[in-house]
Amino acid sequence: MRNWTLNTGVSLMALAVMACGTGAWAAKPAVKPASPVLKDTPSAYGASGAQGVYMGEAKAPVVSPASAKGDCPDGAVGGDHPDLPPAVVKEARPNQCYTRLMKPPVLETYAEKVLVEPERVETRAVPEEWRWAERQVVDQPQRVERKVIPAVTRKVMEERVVQPATWREEPVPPVFEKRTESVMVRPARQEWVRSEGIATGAALVTPGDHQPVRYRADGMLTWPGKEPVAIQGSAETTEYLQKGSAQTIWCLKEVPAEYKQVERMVEVQPATVRRIKVPARVEKVERVIVEREEQVIEKVIPATYRTEKYKEVIKPARTESYTVAPVYKTVDKTRAVKAPEPVWREVLCERNTTPAKIKALQVALKQRGYDPGPADGTLGTKTVAAMQKFQADQGLPQGQISVEAAEALGVKIH
């Protein structure tokens, strides 16, 4: 079930990335792309807390809706400054896509002295010494007998105001007139389009056996292995793992100006209020008058005692003990020297790759012993999952298919 979830999530993210830039197989402008690898430092977050794959913008005049079709996938439109780090925003070029990947932790093996049998104390019980003695105990505790003399009352009828006289205000609604006018909703602009990436089922997997790294509720990460390792992740790492490998994809597109016909209601006559007097409401009620209060007479009955025999302890029970030394053994354990952290990388999308390059990736992965599915040039679930395993085995940042990982596999992207 876990493998099925991983494959399904990766497929969805791959489809989202391939959807960016419909018609991307057409001739692309000769623009030098930015470096495929940015500095190994975590990115800053935007106010939304979202992270994802981003496509570089092309600075151009505002175009009509017809010429703007096919650049980016349909999705929510972001602001001028989404959660991209300044280095990506500055160096991004048209047809480049960026997202955050998870850089694996640095582990080391160390020897630790482990307790096999703890120190223990063996004891011998010595029974107590006692004798019979006598003491006075309460047979019947002191008690109080109470006698209640009821109160003397009488009933009378009185009038009281249930609701005083008031004024009620009745609103008279205003009179409006409908008018229609054309209003520009938004001017022409360049904005980021957001869509969801493909989830792999695990934000981070281990090299070799590709076991998923677990995120715990206390903010620690569990690194699988013979001896599982608890790793303290940063706030940014924790947020990334909560989001999972399905990172959000962003693409910069040209958005033309928007207009709409607006109907406005213009007030012709303002609202008024009419005051209406509401008379008071009176009713007759019955009231009880107490002529003499209730009385309570109390009588104290003293306690009674009896003599009983009991066991008086002369010497309490005790134990004689001796200590057995603890037993230890030395075992090898693994710990994290450096915690995992998110980093920004250029990744594959329809803007910077072709079916032929994707097929080359699938063939290269198959030759390395990974299962990318059929070599059909389509970026699907198995291809992204196989690439994540290759990234884990090579110690590369994991997540989407980065340009760095593709070229490490021997496939030239730029």
Side-chain angles (χ1 to χ4, degrees), residues 252-275:
L252 189 67
K253 73 179 286 183
E254 300 289 345
V255 181
E258 300 175 13
Y259 294 87
K260 70 175 183 179
Q261 295 296 317
V262 179
E263 291 186 348
R264 298 182 183 273
M265 299 298 294
V266 179
E267 185 179 21
V268 179
Q269 180 179 333
T272 58
V273 176
R274 181 172 58 248
R275 299 189 71 204

PDB file of all heavy atoms in Angstrom, residues 252-275:
ATOM      1  N   LEU A 252       5.535  31.949 -14.440  1.00  0.00           N
ATOM      2  CA  LEU A 252       5.253  33.362 -14.683  1.00  0.00           C
ATOM      3  C   LEU A 252       4.559  33.505 -16.037  1.00  0.00           C
ATOM      4  O   LEU A 252       5.058  33.031 -17.055  1.00  0.00           O
ATOM      5  CB  LEU A 252       6.560  34.164 -14.672  1.00  0.00           C
ATOM      6  CG  LEU A 252       6.389  35.677 -14.695  1.00  0.00           C
ATOM      7  CD1 LEU A 252       5.751  36.156 -13.399  1.00  0.00           C
ATOM      8  CD2 LEU A 252       7.748  36.349 -14.875  1.00  0.00           C
ATOM      9  N   LYS A 253       3.387  34.143 -16.072  1.00  0.00           N
ATOM     10  CA  LYS A 253       2.657  34.304 -17.329  1.00  0.00           C
ATOM     11  C   LYS A 253       2.186  35.752 -17.481  1.00  0.00           C
ATOM     12  O   LYS A 253       2.076  36.491 -16.512  1.00  0.00           O
ATOM     13  CB  LYS A 253       1.455  33.350 -17.370  1.00  0.00           C
ATOM     14  CG  LYS A 253       0.310  33.751 -16.450  1.00  0.00           C
ATOM     15  CD  LYS A 253      -0.872  32.789 -16.526  1.00  0.00           C
ATOM     16  CE  LYS A 253      -1.621  32.980 -17.817  1.00  0.00           C
ATOM     17  NZ  LYS A 253      -2.814  32.124 -17.897  1.00  0.00           N
ATOM     18  N   GLU A 254       1.950  36.117 -18.715  1.00  0.00           N
ATOM     19  CA  GLU A 254       1.434  37.447 -19.030  1.00  0.00           C
ATOM     20  C   GLU A 254      -0.088  37.413 -18.890  1.00  0.00           C
ATOM     21  O   GLU A 254      -0.754  36.585 -19.507  1.00  0.00           O
ATOM     22  CB  GLU A 254       1.819  37.830 -20.473  1.00  0.00           C
ATOM     23  CG  GLU A 254       3.316  37.875 -20.722  1.00  0.00           C
ATOM     24  CD  GLU A 254       3.983  39.069 -20.043  1.00  0.00           C
ATOM     25  OE1 GLU A 254       3.244  39.983 -19.640  1.00  0.00           O
ATOM     26  OE2 GLU A 254       5.218  39.078 -19.933  1.00  0.00           O
ATOM     27  N   VAL A 255      -0.655  38.302 -18.091  1.00  0.00           N
ATOM     28  CA  VAL A 255      -2.089  38.366 -17.864  1.00  0.00           C
ATOM     29  C   VAL A 255      -2.613  39.693 -18.420  1.00  0.00           C
ATOM     30  O   VAL A 255      -2.169  40.758 -17.991  1.00  0.00           O
ATOM     31  CB  VAL A 255      -2.425  38.256 -16.364  1.00  0.00           C
ATOM     32  CG1 VAL A 255      -3.931  38.289 -16.162  1.00  0.00           C
ATOM     33  CG2 VAL A 255      -1.824  36.986 -15.797  1.00  0.00           C
ATOM     34  N   PRO A 256      -3.511  39.667 -19.409  1.00  0.00           N
ATOM     35  CA  PRO A 256      -4.033  40.917 -19.978  1.00  0.00           C
ATOM     36  C   PRO A 256      -4.970  41.629 -18.999  1.00  0.00           C
ATOM     37  O   PRO A 256      -5.414  41.055 -18.004  1.00  0.00           O
ATOM     38  CB  PRO A 256      -4.789  40.429 -21.219  1.00  0.00           C
ATOM     39  CG  PRO A 256      -5.204  39.041 -20.886  1.00  0.00           C
ATOM     40  CD  PRO A 256      -4.109  38.465 -20.057  1.00  0.00           C
ATOM     41  N   ALA A 257      -5.257  42.859 -19.312  1.00  0.00           N
ATOM     42  CA  ALA A 257      -6.174  43.647 -18.481  1.00  0.00           C
ATOM     43  C   ALA A 257      -7.566  43.027 -18.524  1.00  0.00           C
ATOM     44  O   ALA A 257      -7.968  42.443 -19.521  1.00  0.00           O
ATOM     45  CB  ALA A 257      -6.234  45.092 -18.978  1.00  0.00           C
ATOM     46  N   GLU A 258      -8.310  43.148 -17.414  1.00  0.00           N
ATOM     47  CA  GLU A 258      -9.638  42.569 -17.302  1.00  0.00           C
ATOM     48  C   GLU A 258     -10.663  43.693 -17.084  1.00  0.00           C
ATOM     49  O   GLU A 258     -10.431  44.592 -16.273  1.00  0.00           O
ATOM     50  CB  GLU A 258      -9.692  41.592 -16.129  1.00  0.00           C
ATOM     51  CG  GLU A 258      -8.716  40.439 -16.269  1.00  0.00           C
ATOM     52  CD  GLU A 258      -8.710  39.561 -15.024  1.00  0.00           C
ATOM     53  OE1 GLU A 258      -9.639  39.724 -14.204  1.00  0.00           O
ATOM     54  OE2 GLU A 258      -7.795  38.743 -14.882  1.00  0.00           O
ATOM     55  N   TYR A 259     -11.784  43.569 -17.806  1.00  0.00           N
ATOM     56  CA  TYR A 259     -12.881  44.538 -17.670  1.00  0.00           C
ATOM     57  C   TYR A 259     -14.176  43.778 -17.397  1.00  0.00           C
ATOM     58  O   TYR A 259     -14.315  42.614 -17.775  1.00  0.00           O
ATOM     59  CB  TYR A 259     -13.049  45.369 -18.948  1.00  0.00           C
ATOM     60  CG  TYR A 259     -11.869  46.279 -19.245  1.00  0.00           C
ATOM     61  CD1 TYR A 259     -10.766  45.798 -19.965  1.00  0.00           C
ATOM     62  CD2 TYR A 259     -11.844  47.598 -18.797  1.00  0.00           C
ATOM     63  CE1 TYR A 259      -9.683  46.609 -20.236  1.00  0.00           C
ATOM     64  CE2 TYR A 259     -10.760  48.415 -19.054  1.00  0.00           C
ATOM     65  CZ  TYR A 259      -9.680  47.919 -19.781  1.00  0.00           C
ATOM     66  OH  TYR A 259      -8.614  48.733 -20.052  1.00  0.00           O
ATOM     67  N   LYS A 260     -15.132  44.477 -16.777  1.00  0.00           N
ATOM     68  CA  LYS A 260     -16.456  43.873 -16.595  1.00  0.00           C
ATOM     69  C   LYS A 260     -17.512  44.986 -16.502  1.00  0.00           C
ATOM     70  O   LYS A 260     -17.198  46.124 -16.153  1.00  0.00           O
ATOM     71  CB  LYS A 260     -16.490  43.008 -15.335  1.00  0.00           C
ATOM     72  CG  LYS A 260     -16.423  43.786 -14.044  1.00  0.00           C
ATOM     73  CD  LYS A 260     -16.588  42.858 -12.851  1.00  0.00           C
ATOM     74  CE  LYS A 260     -16.587  43.651 -11.540  1.00  0.00           C
ATOM     75  NZ  LYS A 260     -16.775  42.758 -10.377  1.00  0.00           N
ATOM     76  N   GLN A 261     -18.726  44.601 -16.850  1.00  0.00           N
ATOM     77  CA  GLN A 261     -19.861  45.520 -16.750  1.00  0.00           C
ATOM     78  C   GLN A 261     -20.407  45.434 -15.327  1.00  0.00           C
ATOM     79  O   GLN A 261     -20.745  44.349 -14.849  1.00  0.00           O
ATOM     80  CB  GLN A 261     -20.955  45.140 -17.759  1.00  0.00           C
ATOM     81  CG  GLN A 261     -20.532  45.290 -19.216  1.00  0.00           C
ATOM     82  CD  GLN A 261     -20.243  46.755 -19.565  1.00  0.00           C
ATOM     83  OE1 GLN A 261     -20.989  47.646 -19.176  1.00  0.00           O
ATOM     84  NE2 GLN A 261     -19.160  46.993 -20.303  1.00  0.00           N
ATOM     85  N   VAL A 262     -20.467  46.557 -14.647  1.00  0.00           N
ATOM     86  CA  VAL A 262     -20.883  46.597 -13.251  1.00  0.00           C
ATOM     87  C   VAL A 262     -22.212  47.346 -13.145  1.00  0.00           C
ATOM     88  O   VAL A 262     -22.352  48.453 -13.674  1.00  0.00           O
ATOM     89  CB  VAL A 262     -19.820  47.288 -12.372  1.00  0.00           C
ATOM     90  CG1 VAL A 262     -20.288  47.352 -10.929  1.00  0.00           C
ATOM     91  CG2 VAL A 262     -18.503  46.555 -12.482  1.00  0.00           C
ATOM     92  N   GLU A 263     -23.156  46.694 -12.491  1.00  0.00           N
ATOM     93  CA  GLU A 263     -24.428  47.343 -12.213  1.00  0.00           C
ATOM     94  C   GLU A 263     -24.375  47.922 -10.811  1.00  0.00           C
ATOM     95  O   GLU A 263     -24.062  47.205  -9.862  1.00  0.00           O
ATOM     96  CB  GLU A 263     -25.574  46.333 -12.328  1.00  0.00           C
ATOM     97  CG  GLU A 263     -25.825  45.872 -13.757  1.00  0.00           C
ATOM     98  CD  GLU A 263     -27.055  44.989 -13.842  1.00  0.00           C
ATOM     99  OE1 GLU A 263     -27.556  44.573 -12.783  1.00  0.00           O
ATOM    100  OE2 GLU A 263     -27.525  44.730 -14.966  1.00  0.00           O
ATOM    101  N   ARG A 264     -24.630  49.176 -10.693  1.00  0.00           N
ATOM    102  CA  ARG A 264     -24.592  49.851  -9.393  1.00  0.00           C
ATOM    103  C   ARG A 264     -25.997  50.318  -9.005  1.00  0.00           C
ATOM    104  O   ARG A 264     -26.757  50.788  -9.853  1.00  0.00           O
ATOM    105  CB  ARG A 264     -23.647  51.050  -9.427  1.00  0.00           C
ATOM    106  CG  ARG A 264     -22.199  50.699  -9.715  1.00  0.00           C
ATOM    107  CD  ARG A 264     -21.336  51.938  -9.691  1.00  0.00           C
ATOM    108  NE  ARG A 264     -19.963  51.644 -10.034  1.00  0.00           N
ATOM    109  CZ  ARG A 264     -19.048  51.251  -9.161  1.00  0.00           C
ATOM    110  NH1 ARG A 264     -19.386  51.135  -7.897  1.00  0.00           N
ATOM    111  NH2 ARG A 264     -17.806  50.985  -9.544  1.00  0.00           N
ATOM    112  N   MET A 265     -26.308  50.192  -7.745  1.00  0.00           N
ATOM    113  CA  MET A 265     -27.571  50.690  -7.218  1.00  0.00           C
ATOM    114  C   MET A 265     -27.305  52.046  -6.566  1.00  0.00           C
ATOM    115  O   MET A 265     -26.500  52.142  -5.631  1.00  0.00           O
ATOM    116  CB  MET A 265     -28.148  49.708  -6.195  1.00  0.00           C
ATOM    117  CG  MET A 265     -28.449  48.321  -6.758  1.00  0.00           C
ATOM    118  SD  MET A 265     -29.691  48.359  -8.073  1.00  0.00           S
ATOM    119  CE  MET A 265     -31.130  48.869  -7.153  1.00  0.00           C
ATOM    120  N   VAL A 266     -27.957  53.078  -7.081  1.00  0.00           N
ATOM    121  CA  VAL A 266     -27.773  54.438  -6.586  1.00  0.00           C
ATOM    122  C   VAL A 266     -28.982  54.805  -5.718  1.00  0.00           C
ATOM    123  O   VAL A 266     -30.140  54.626  -6.131  1.00  0.00           O
ATOM    124  CB  VAL A 266     -27.618  55.437  -7.752  1.00  0.00           C
ATOM    125  CG1 VAL A 266     -27.443  56.854  -7.223  1.00  0.00           C
ATOM    126  CG2 VAL A 266     -26.435  55.041  -8.614  1.00  0.00           C
ATOM    127  N   GLU A 267     -28.700  55.289  -4.515  1.00  0.00           N
ATOM    128  CA  GLU A 267     -29.776  55.639  -3.599  1.00  0.00           C
ATOM    129  C   GLU A 267     -30.460  56.932  -4.055  1.00  0.00           C
ATOM    130  O   GLU A 267     -29.831  57.969  -4.196  1.00  0.00           O
ATOM    131  CB  GLU A 267     -29.210  55.801  -2.189  1.00  0.00           C
ATOM    132  CG  GLU A 267     -30.278  56.058  -1.154  1.00  0.00           C
ATOM    133  CD  GLU A 267     -29.682  56.188   0.246  1.00  0.00           C
ATOM    134  OE1 GLU A 267     -28.466  56.477   0.339  1.00  0.00           O
ATOM    135  OE2 GLU A 267     -30.426  56.003   1.218  1.00  0.00           O
ATOM    136  N   VAL A 268     -31.772  56.837  -4.255  1.00  0.00           N
ATOM    137  CA  VAL A 268     -32.561  58.002  -4.672  1.00  0.00           C
ATOM    138  C   VAL A 268     -33.198  58.659  -3.450  1.00  0.00           C
ATOM    139  O   VAL A 268     -33.249  59.886  -3.353  1.00  0.00           O
ATOM    140  CB  VAL A 268     -33.647  57.582  -5.687  1.00  0.00           C
ATOM    141  CG1 VAL A 268     -34.488  58.791  -6.096  1.00  0.00           C
ATOM    142  CG2 VAL A 268     -33.014  56.941  -6.903  1.00  0.00           C
ATOM    143  N   GLN A 269     -33.675  57.816  -2.533  1.00  0.00           N
ATOM    144  CA  GLN A 269     -34.319  58.345  -1.312  1.00  0.00           C
ATOM    145  C   GLN A 269     -33.736  57.605  -0.118  1.00  0.00           C
ATOM    146  O   GLN A 269     -33.755  56.371  -0.088  1.00  0.00           O
ATOM    147  CB  GLN A 269     -35.842  58.135  -1.389  1.00  0.00           C
ATOM    148  CG  GLN A 269     -36.590  58.662  -0.170  1.00  0.00           C
ATOM    149  CD  GLN A 269     -38.097  58.445  -0.324  1.00  0.00           C
ATOM    150  OE1 GLN A 269     -38.603  58.396  -1.424  1.00  0.00           O
ATOM    151  NE2 GLN A 269     -38.800  58.314   0.785  1.00  0.00           N
ATOM    152  N   PRO A 270     -33.172  58.270   0.882  1.00  0.00           N
ATOM    153  CA  PRO A 270     -32.547  57.589   2.023  1.00  0.00           C
ATOM    154  C   PRO A 270     -33.578  56.881   2.899  1.00  0.00           C
ATOM    155  O   PRO A 270     -34.773  57.200   2.869  1.00  0.00           O
ATOM    156  CB  PRO A 270     -31.855  58.728   2.782  1.00  0.00           C
ATOM    157  CG  PRO A 270     -32.646  59.945   2.430  1.00  0.00           C
ATOM    158  CD  PRO A 270     -33.103  59.748   1.004  1.00  0.00           C
ATOM    159  N   ALA A 271     -33.087  55.922   3.698  1.00  0.00           N
ATOM    160  CA  ALA A 271     -33.958  55.201   4.629  1.00  0.00           C
ATOM    161  C   ALA A 271     -34.363  56.102   5.789  1.00  0.00           C
ATOM    162  O   ALA A 271     -33.611  56.990   6.187  1.00  0.00           O
ATOM    163  CB  ALA A 271     -33.225  53.962   5.164  1.00  0.00           C
ATOM    164  N   THR A 272     -35.563  55.848   6.333  1.00  0.00           N
ATOM    165  CA  THR A 272     -36.075  56.612   7.490  1.00  0.00           C
ATOM    166  C   THR A 272     -36.582  55.631   8.541  1.00  0.00           C
ATOM    167  O   THR A 272     -36.677  54.427   8.278  1.00  0.00           O
ATOM    168  CB  THR A 272     -37.203  57.569   7.058  1.00  0.00           C
ATOM    169  OG1 THR A 272     -38.260  56.801   6.459  1.00  0.00           O
ATOM    170  CG2 THR A 272     -36.685  58.603   6.071  1.00  0.00           C
ATOM    171  N   VAL A 273     -36.923  56.141   9.735  1.00  0.00           N
ATOM    172  CA  VAL A 273     -37.427  55.312  10.833  1.00  0.00           C
ATOM    173  C   VAL A 273     -38.724  55.922  11.358  1.00  0.00           C
ATOM    174  O   VAL A 273     -38.794  57.135  11.619  1.00  0.00           O
ATOM    175  CB  VAL A 273     -36.384  55.217  11.970  1.00  0.00           C
ATOM    176  CG1 VAL A 273     -36.951  54.428  13.141  1.00  0.00           C
ATOM    177  CG2 VAL A 273     -35.103  54.564  11.464  1.00  0.00           C
ATOM    178  N   ARG A 274     -39.742  55.076  11.543  1.00  0.00           N
ATOM    179  CA  ARG A 274     -41.032  55.524  12.090  1.00  0.00           C
ATOM    180  C   ARG A 274     -41.187  54.955  13.497  1.00  0.00           C
ATOM    181  O   ARG A 274     -41.022  53.738  13.703  1.00  0.00           O
ATOM    182  CB  ARG A 274     -42.173  55.052  11.205  1.00  0.00           C
ATOM    183  CG  ARG A 274     -43.543  55.504  11.698  1.00  0.00           C
ATOM    184  CD  ARG A 274     -44.658  55.202  10.700  1.00  0.00           C
ATOM    185  NE  ARG A 274     -44.762  53.799  10.381  1.00  0.00           N
ATOM    186  CZ  ARG A 274     -44.472  53.265   9.203  1.00  0.00           C
ATOM    187  NH1 ARG A 274     -44.008  54.042   8.223  1.00  0.00           N
ATOM    188  NH2 ARG A 274     -44.598  51.974   8.981  1.00  0.00           N
ATOM    189  N   ARG A 275     -41.483  55.780  14.516  1.00  0.00           N
ATOM    190  CA  ARG A 275     -41.616  55.357  15.906  1.00  0.00           C
ATOM    191  C   ARG A 275     -43.085  55.082  16.249  1.00  0.00           C
ATOM    192  O   ARG A 275     -43.969  55.895  15.984  1.00  0.00           O
ATOM    193  CB  ARG A 275     -41.069  56.418  16.859  1.00  0.00           C
ATOM    194  CG  ARG A 275     -39.590  56.700  16.663  1.00  0.00           C
ATOM    195  CD  ARG A 275     -39.072  57.588  17.770  1.00  0.00           C
ATOM    196  NE  ARG A 275     -39.002  56.861  19.036  1.00  0.00           N
ATOM    197  CZ  ARG A 275     -39.034  57.441  20.219  1.00  0.00           C
ATOM    198  NH1 ARG A 275     -39.155  58.755  20.317  1.00  0.00           N
ATOM    199  NH2 ARG A 275     -38.965  56.727  21.326  1.00  0.00           N
TER     200      ARG A 275
END
